[in-house]
Amino acid sequence: MCLAVGLSDNSVHCAAYRLCGRGALLTIVIETVAETASTNADLKALCLKDGVPEGFWLRAEIQTGGIGRRGRKWESPKGNLYCSTAVDIRPADPAPSSLSFVAGLAVYSAIRGCLPDVPMLLKWPNDVLVSDAKICGILLERVKDQVVVGIGVNVAVAPEVEGRIVNSLAAEGATIDAAGFLEQLAREFETYVAIWREDGLAEILKQWQNLAHPVGMAITTSDDGGEKITGEFAGLQADGALRLRKTDGTLIEIHAGDISIG
Ligand code: BTN
């Protein structure tokens, strides 16, 4: 049974690392279970019960009911990374939804660490593209005064996602496994959470924009009725909303949804 949370009898491995980074000294605890329906669902249940300490990560080798954004399923075969952590929402913190930029930057940096030369791009709001293809999924769910951040990364295989070109770290030549990748990711995540808290969202958005599709790039999104809107990326608002300049010159703000680029 894991020391930090005592999650389950199902644990196959539990490891703790002390991190001395930008924030206060933080202990990262990674608990791995062989199989669960969804690490986000498990962590949400724990948050509801007693809360989950920051720095705790739950990883499953397989998910049988992985949850994606907008009610989609997240295919979760063995070999890829499925993990969730919780972030406390403190009174002075930026808006909780902006943690999606924090998570995107952390995944980007962890991938960059094992694939130094591949073309990579962040795509609003929280996609990471490797060689122009989706390689991860990030799902934020609020529970009381915590946000559960769930991250799936295609480490070994690239399961099909309808309408998307997908990729995996292995297909790009990386030899790291899911457990090793999470050790890097957890460190990167804590670093970016500290920047988010101490330097603020503006600094996170600046770093995100430096690694993302450039202003002026052609983008497409859909309105509530499913109608396509095309235009060009016109930067981010201070709260992280996307600005799209339509072909007729009008500027619209998008607070939630997906875009396609190019
Ligand atoms: C997306 O649709 O892009 C987000 C997918 C998020 C998947 C991860 S895998 C770990 C965590 N547990 C879940 O059930 N979902 C998230």
Side-chain angles (χ1 to χ4, degrees):
M1 187 182 285
C2 192
L3 296 174
V5 174
L7 183 76
S8 67
D9 308 328
N10 190 17
S11 286
V12 291
H13 188 248
C14 190
Y17 312 84
R18 285 185 86 70
L19 258 200
C20 188
R22 282 197 46 144
L25 192 73
L26 181 81
T27 302
I28 291 184
V29 175
I30 298 175
E31 179 170 3
T32 300
V33 296
E35 181 179 308
T36 191
S38 156
T39 56
N40 258 41
D42 290 346
L43 224 64
K44 280 187 335 188
L46 286 170
C47 287
L48 273 176
K49 204 167 148 242
D50 299 320
V52 171
E54 285 199 352
F56 175 76
W57 289 80
L58 175 66
R59 177 174 86 89
E61 291 175 340
I62 294 173
Q63 291 186 129
T64 52
I67 306 161
R69 292 172 64 222
R70 307 170 151 254
R72 292 187 281 242
K73 244 179 94 176
W74 187 256
E75 292 297 332
S76 308
K78 195 159 181 155
N80 288 343
L81 175 63
Y82 315 107
C83 61
S84 301
T85 193
V87 178
D88 298 336
I89 299 305
R90 303 180 187 163
D93 283 345
S97 61
S98 61
L99 281 167
S100 65
F101 297 102
V102 169
L105 280 164
V107 173
Y108 183 106
S109 300
I111 295 177
R112 189 42 96 212
C114 49
L115 290 171
D117 300 320
V118 295
M120 288 180 66
L121 199 67
L122 289 170
K123 182 171 83 70
W124 189 89
N126 58 18
D127 264 340
V128 180
L129 305 183
V130 174
S131 300
D132 292 328
K134 183 175 170 83
I135 203 156
C136 79
I138 294 168
L139 178 67
L140 264 50
E141 298 185 274
R142 174 97 187 237
V143 183
K144 299 207 276 192
D145 287 336
Q146 293 197 290
V147 174
V148 171
V149 180
I151 302 176
V153 180
N154 296 343
V155 175
V157 287
E160 279 185 21
V161 180
E162 205 188 317
R164 299 293 303 269
I165 305 167
V166 284
N167 203 351
S168 71
L169 299 183
E172 292 285 344
T175 51
I176 199 161
D177 65 8
F181 186 80
L182 178 52
E183 286 179 23
Q184 303 309 317
L185 175 62
R187 286 182 166 80
E188 296 291 352
F189 187 81
E190 301 316 334
T191 299
Y192 283 107
V193 169
I195 294 171
W196 178 76
R197 283 206 172 112
E198 291 163 23
D199 301 341
L201 181 57
E203 176 60 26
I204 287 290
L205 295 181
K206 190 174 98 192
Q207 295 196 22
W208 183 91
Q209 182 63 82
N210 284 340
L211 301 169
H213 36 80
V215 167
M217 185 170 227
I219 58 174
T220 304
T221 189
S222 307
D223 65 16
D224 294 342
E227 200 70 24
K228 278 197 171 171
I229 308 171
T230 54
E232 62 179 40
F233 176 52
L236 299 178
Q237 303 265 95
D239 62 357
L242 178 139
R243 283 199 213 115
L244 184 151
R245 191 178 306 283
K246 295 207 285 185
T247 37
D248 67 5
T250 51
L251 204 56
I252 58 169
E253 286 167 26
I254 302 169
H255 291 268
D258 286 316
I259 61 160
S260 53
I261 55 177

